Amino acid sequence: MLEIRNLHATVEGKEILRGLDLTINKGEVHAIMGPNGSGKSTLAKVLAGHPAYVVTAGEVLYEGKNLLELEPDERARAGIFLAFQYPVEVPGVSNAQFLRLAYNEQRKYRGEEELDPLEFKDLLAERAKIVEMDAGLMSRSVNEGFSGGEKKRNEILQMAVLEPKLAVLDETDSGLDIDALRIVADGVNHLRTPENAIILVTHYQRLLNYIVPDFVHVLWRGRIVRSGGKELALELEAKGYDWLKEQGAEASESAVTVSAK
Amino acid sequence: MSSIELLTNKEYKYGFVTDIESDVIPKGLSEDTIRLIVEKKNEPDWMLEFRLKAYRHWLKMQEPKHWPNITYPEINYQDVIYYSAPKQKATKASLDEVDPELLRTFEKLGIPLSEQKQLAGVAVDAVFDSVSVATTYKEKLKKHGVIFCSFTEAIREYPELVKQYLGSVVPTNDNYFAALNSAVFSDGSFCFIPKGVRCPMELSTYFRINNAESGQFERTLIIAEEGAYVSYLEGCTAPKFDRNQLHAAVVELVALDDAEIKYSTVQNWYAGDETGKGGIYNFVTKRGACRGRNSKISWTQVETGSAITWKYPSCILQGDNSIGEFYSVALTNHAQQADTGTKMIHIGRNTRSTIISKGISAGKSNNSYRGLVKVLAGAAGARNYTQCDSLLIGSKCGANTFPYIEVMNNTARVEHEATTSRISEDQLFYLMQRGISQEDAVSLIINGFCKDVFRELPMEFAVEAQRLLGMKLEGSVG
């Protein structure tokens, strides 16, 4: 579904991703871990097409097509979803109105008929159950005055409504108490199917107790320095990142040598 | 990005010129010009006196060039045509006798006038350059006692009403542009809602400037007697010309005991091109007098056009418990300048006013809110709430807020809130990440920002206003 090859990306002129490779097939859940500043969120934003992040080398194929030449809204309509670490407020626009617009854009793209507000209301009520979201939040402005937990749940609600093929969850667990974490994780598990794929960007192993990944990757200085199964996350929890950082440093040394040749 | 640039240059779709034979007087302004207008319109002597008095005031007055936050080259008042009327039969047995070219023009603007096609539920007075060319549903309204006609007709048919109220809210010497209007105004709309009548349909006037060299100086007078209610709408457009055109209107509203007037404007005069060439200079005085107890006047304006907008729709809250409201969206793009706001003058006891102003600036434009809240000594228990929000799009535009507050009664409560924000890249990215196009994302953010004002507009107007804002801003982000 997704193939990332030798991806290099900068933000404000600073190189963050430095030759990242990653392959994701449908039905898989991949966890991306790593210390602060290793490039986890950058990867998420590059995949979604944030204009401040510039790809300087490498390629990203999504369903066999060049993802990098698509605008963010085109990527979204093609099935890529980013659950934001810091969801944005849109004053004066109700959550339901925003979700219906987004949902209908996708339907239009797929050549399906748009839903009218009443039809959509039913769909929304059904999906809201997945994240135990209060109906009162639907008529409020998007994320305005939402608590941290409500904002994150709202992200998963959007995911539930839009049913993406590839969902990238950027530190969705940060700032959540244990109950909210459970609700969010249950929601994601509910949406996990053999047809879609999920990338979980996280700092902590805790989330992975609830959403069990097929693969765990460790990002360090803009590249993946270690990949493994779910047990790698436990190892990281026990040992920290330092032992990998040393390996990562060696790996980038050798990469430099190789490219110099 | 190239598609965005294409959209920026999107045509102003009302910019066409109607080719019609007109009765035009020579350029220039003098007492003779005024006598000529009076003669053309066959007006009584008291009108001539009203006009000459205004003109003599005007000669002694100074153009308000210094306090508004706008700049423009010297206006040569001798280089303006003060009367231009399409040639047609003076009295028409039916609307179908109106020149087909004029009917076509208004139909193109979305205002069908002919008997079969009239808009349901809205009576329209169509003003073309200096004169009203047609008024729909006149007879139907008359059955309810509602008078809705051109100003010219009002002077002829209802002189006592006109004499009683004309200039009673905006005196002839009120300000430079009001004095000019009082001297030369050529037509406009007159509405009278008698005691206890709730006007059965929306009343509206559509203003169209066609002649490149003429100004438009129209006058609107709305009177709501005891317990009456009326909702009135106005819309305006003009062709694209390279030279600036002057529009100086006066609107007077009078609400007696328990009466309510709701006045909505969607202003889309030609704004000039991207470099600031051409466009309408819109210098307008609008004021409502809440004369009676428990009366209410509500102004809602969506200002999107004009090279310059200078207008402050105001309320004089004279009657005890009277209410004044001002809801405004002012959008400026490219080189447009707007200095707009309101005045709420609290005179009666327990008078209340609400001001919600939303300014949107894009391009290199400059957008200022200027408002006065004045509570006089007798206005015990007066309350005002003001909220001024500015939204900036891009980094070359400006937004300013100039609130003036004068309170002379210590039981009054006056609140003022102001915010300035910018459409951020992150906000756009968030919406686009959900599959919404950039244009739709911008218009969603703008409409959310303006929601408190749009919900005050009649339904069809709100839809039109949303569409208009979207169109005006296309391509201004990115």
Side-chain angles (χ1 to χ4, degrees):
Chain A
M1 176 182 274
L2 185 74
E3 258 200 84
I4 303 173
R5 291 185 199 135
N6 188 33
L7 185 64
H8 290 252
T10 61
V11 59
E12 288 167 359
K14 197 174 161 220
E15 187 169 50
I16 308 288
L17 297 184
R18 308 168 193 193
L20 187 140
D21 296 290
L22 182 63
T23 301
I24 291 175
N25 299 306
K26 64 181 187 180
E28 294 176 352
V29 174
H30 291 245
I32 309 277
M33 303 185 71
N36 278 335
S38 59
K40 300 188 302 292
S41 284
T42 298
L43 173 63
K45 292 200 168 107
V46 166
L47 290 177
H50 193 293
Y53 295 76
V54 183
V55 173
T56 49
E59 60 177 355
V60 180
L61 297 176
Y62 171 72
E63 296 188 313
K65 280 173 287 196
N66 179 3
L67 182 70
L68 300 177
E69 65 186 17
L70 301 180
E71 294 293 327
D73 52 328
E74 295 170 322
R75 298 183 195 197
R77 290 192 291 264
I80 291 182
F81 178 87
L82 172 63
F84 283 63
Q85 184 179 1
Y86 304 109
V88 178
E89 298 180 0
V90 191
V93 177
S94 81
N95 220 9
Q97 180 192 359
F98 159 61
L99 276 168
R100 189 169 76 91
L101 184 62
Y103 182 73
N104 279 335
E105 285 298 326
Q106 308 235 333
R107 287 184 70 101
K108 260 195 288 187
Y109 175 77
R110 296 194 297 257
E112 296 164 9
E113 220 172 286
E114 297 178 41
L115 291 195
D116 66 37
L118 284 176
E119 291 168 321
F120 184 73
K121 204 179 160 209
D122 294 341
L123 177 114
L124 190 56
E126 176 214 314
R127 303 291 158 92
K129 284 186 204 144
I130 297 173
V131 283
E132 300 176 26
M133 191 107 151
D134 185 34
L137 291 179
M138 303 305 164
S139 50
R140 296 233 317 252
S141 294
V142 179
N143 293 325
E144 202 181 38
F146 285 30
S147 70
E150 285 170 338
K151 282 184 182 173
K152 293 298 174 77
R153 268 196 269 173
N154 201 25
E155 293 295 290
I156 305 306
L157 170 64
Q158 294 173 41
M159 178 178 162
V161 168
L162 300 174
E163 299 182 306
K165 290 182 191 162
L166 175 67
V168 184
L169 275 54
D170 187 6
E171 305 210 12
T172 298
D173 52 336
S174 68
L176 289 187
D177 63 33
I178 200 77
D179 291 330
L181 182 68
R182 184 190 48 78
I183 293 168
V184 164
D186 285 353
V188 173
N189 284 328
H190 186 93
L191 299 167
R192 190 171 175 176
T193 75
E195 291 308 308
N196 63 20
I198 297 171
I199 299 176
L200 297 171
V201 170
T202 183
H203 258 297
Y204 303 107
Q205 194 269 336
R206 191 177 67 156
L207 176 68
L208 307 181
N209 290 335
Y210 295 92
I211 308 172
V212 180
D214 301 299
F215 301 94
V216 173
H217 310 278
V218 179
L219 204 58
W220 165 245
R221 289 195 174 160
R223 49 197 354 240
I224 288 171
V225 293
R226 183 87 170 208
S227 296
K230 62 183 180 209
E231 60 290 342
L232 176 58
L234 294 168
E235 201 178 343
L236 289 169
E237 180 85 345
K239 292 162 66 178
Y241 289 112
D242 286 349
W243 60 287
L244 282 171
K245 286 182 186 174
E246 283 159 30
Q247 288 187 5
E250 279 165 33
S252 44
E253 293 274 314
S254 62
V256 170
T257 331
V258 170
S259 58
K261 279 176 190 168
Chain B
M1 285 296 141
S2 61
S3 64
I4 287 167
E5 272 159 29
L6 277 176
L7 285 166
T8 320
N9 300 321
K10 191 159 181 147
E11 288 288 295
Y12 172 73
K13 74 176 213 195
Y14 309 103
F16 62 90
V17 183
T18 306
D19 186 14
I20 193 158
E21 205 187 330
S22 289
D23 177 11
V24 178
I25 67 170
K27 283 180 184 176
L29 180 56
S30 66
E31 293 204 0
D32 287 344
T33 317
I34 291 164
R35 286 176 208 281
L36 187 57
I37 291 172
V38 167
E39 190 184 309
K40 289 262 176 214
K41 300 176 65 62
N42 212 355
E43 285 179 351
D45 286 346
W46 57 269
M47 273 306 303
L48 178 64
E49 276 163 40
F50 177 88
R51 291 172 180 282
L52 288 176
K53 196 172 130 204
Y55 177 69
R56 287 164 195 155
H57 279 303
W58 181 74
L59 286 176
K60 286 179 269 172
M61 295 171 93
Q62 293 288 319
E63 195 173 326
K65 290 214 76 158
H66 301 292
W67 59 262
N69 194 19
I70 51 179
T71 54
Y72 54 93
E74 203 68 37
I75 297 172
N76 181 355
Y77 291 91
Q78 298 306 331
D79 194 34
V80 174
I81 293 172
Y82 289 87
Y83 186 84
S84 164
K87 279 190 179 156
Q88 56 172 352
K89 272 197 244 174
T91 48
K92 298 170 284 288
S94 98
L95 285 166
D96 294 335
E97 285 180 25
V98 175
D99 187 319
E101 194 55 40
L102 287 172
L103 292 179
R104 265 198 295 279
T105 298
F106 281 97
E107 194 156 342
K108 229 168 137 178
L109 297 168
I111 316 290
L113 299 170
S114 61
E115 306 280 355
Q116 306 81 9
K117 294 182 190 159
Q118 288 171 4
L119 301 168
V122 186
V124 181
D125 184 27
V127 177
F128 188 90
D129 285 340
S130 303
V131 294
S132 162
V133 294
T135 311
T136 64
Y137 292 115
K138 233 163 40 180
E139 295 310 313
K140 188 184 169 195
L141 289 165
K142 211 177 253 174
K143 285 188 192 122
H144 295 265
V146 174
I147 301 170
F148 180 48
C149 63
S150 72
F151 219 101
T152 306
E153 190 179 328
I155 291 169
R156 197 173 60 227
E157 305 289 331
Y158 313 100
E160 293 313 311
L161 281 176
V162 175
K163 261 194 248 180
Q164 187 182 347
Y165 290 105
L166 178 68
S168 75
V169 186
V170 179
T172 49
N173 60 349
D174 186 78
N175 68 69
Y176 189 79
F177 295 108
L180 176 65
N181 172 285
S182 302
V184 301
F185 79 90
S186 43
D187 216 335
S189 303
F190 177 82
C191 318
F192 175 81
I193 324 297
K195 193 169 170 175
V197 171
R198 196 179 164 86
C199 189
M201 53 183 14
E202 310 257 6
L203 305 185
S204 75
T205 306
Y206 195 93
F207 295 102
R208 175 74 178 169
I209 301 180
N210 189 61
N211 187 314
E213 293 177 308
S214 80
Q216 191 172 63
F217 308 91
E218 85 279 2
R219 191 109 190 170
T220 303
L221 176 56
I222 301 176
I223 302 140
E225 282 196 334
E226 291 84 352
Y229 168 85
V230 63
S231 167
Y232 175 92
L233 326 167
E234 69 174 0
C236 351
T237 59
K240 292 166 72 161
F241 291 121
D242 283 347
R243 54 175 283 162
N244 296 105
Q245 288 169 280
L246 185 59
H247 173 253
V250 171
V251 174
E252 295 177 281
L253 313 182
V254 178
L256 303 183
D257 285 357
D258 303 301
E260 180 177 349
I261 302 174
K262 195 170 164 52
Y263 192 107
S264 313
T265 305
V266 173
Q267 185 262 107
N268 187 21
W269 293 121
Y270 178 53
D273 69 8
E274 274 159 73
T275 60
K277 197 170 182 193
I280 303 283
Y281 288 167
N282 193 31
F283 296 102
V284 171
T285 305
K286 291 184 170 179
R287 194 173 302 154
C290 284
R291 295 225 172 117
R293 295 170 62 89
N294 309 316
S295 57
K296 179 175 174 183
I297 289 179
S298 177
W299 298 100
T300 306
Q301 61 171 17
V302 177
E303 301 285 319
T304 67
S306 298
I308 292 175
T309 297
W310 177 99
K311 72 179 267 206
Y312 315 90
S314 304
C315 296
I316 300 169
L317 303 169
Q318 215 173 326
D320 290 350
N321 309 318
S322 60
I323 297 173
E325 293 175 336
F326 175 74
Y327 299 97
S328 169
V329 167
L331 177 144
T332 53
N333 197 357
H334 302 312
Q336 282 178 275
Q337 306 175 69
D339 191 297
T340 183
T342 184
K343 288 190 274 187
M344 292 291 174
I345 314 294
H346 293 256
I347 300 170
R349 297 165 68 88
N350 299 317
T351 44
R352 279 172 290 159
S353 62
T354 303
I355 300 171
I356 308 283
S357 163
K358 305 279 181 175
I360 303 160
S361 334
K364 292 171 294 183
S365 68
N366 204 340
N367 199 330
S368 301
Y369 167 82
R370 186 182 304 276
L372 168 68
V373 175
K374 189 169 186 170
V375 178
L376 298 184
R383 290 211 322 256
N384 162 266
Y385 173 74
T386 300
Q387 188 186 331
C388 292
D389 298 323
S390 306
L391 186 68
L392 303 172
I393 301 174
S395 55
K396 296 195 187 89
C397 53
N400 298 284
T401 304
F402 303 100
Y404 304 82
I405 297 172
E406 296 171 26
V407 178
M408 282 166 263
N409 183 304
N410 59 13
T411 63
R413 203 167 83 213
V414 176
E415 290 173 72
H416 182 97
E417 285 180 25
T419 65
T420 301
S421 54
R422 198 177 280 280
I423 290 192
S424 69
E425 196 174 54
D426 282 332
Q427 227 172 9
L428 279 178
F429 177 62
Y430 186 69
L431 297 174
M432 289 175 73
Q433 210 303 304
R434 299 306 185 239
I436 298 167
S437 69
Q438 186 176 49
E439 270 171 41
D440 289 349
V442 171
S443 89
L444 197 64
I445 293 167
I446 299 286
N447 284 320
F449 177 73
C450 299
K451 195 175 78 177
D452 294 343
V453 175
F454 285 168
R455 70 170 163 222
E456 296 298 324
L457 287 172
M459 186 60 185
E460 308 77 43
F461 249 40
V463 173
E464 169 71 11
Q466 291 194 13
R467 202 190 51 76
L468 192 58
L469 287 196
M471 201 178 84
K472 288 271 167 179
L473 282 172
E474 267 172 9
S476 55
V477 180

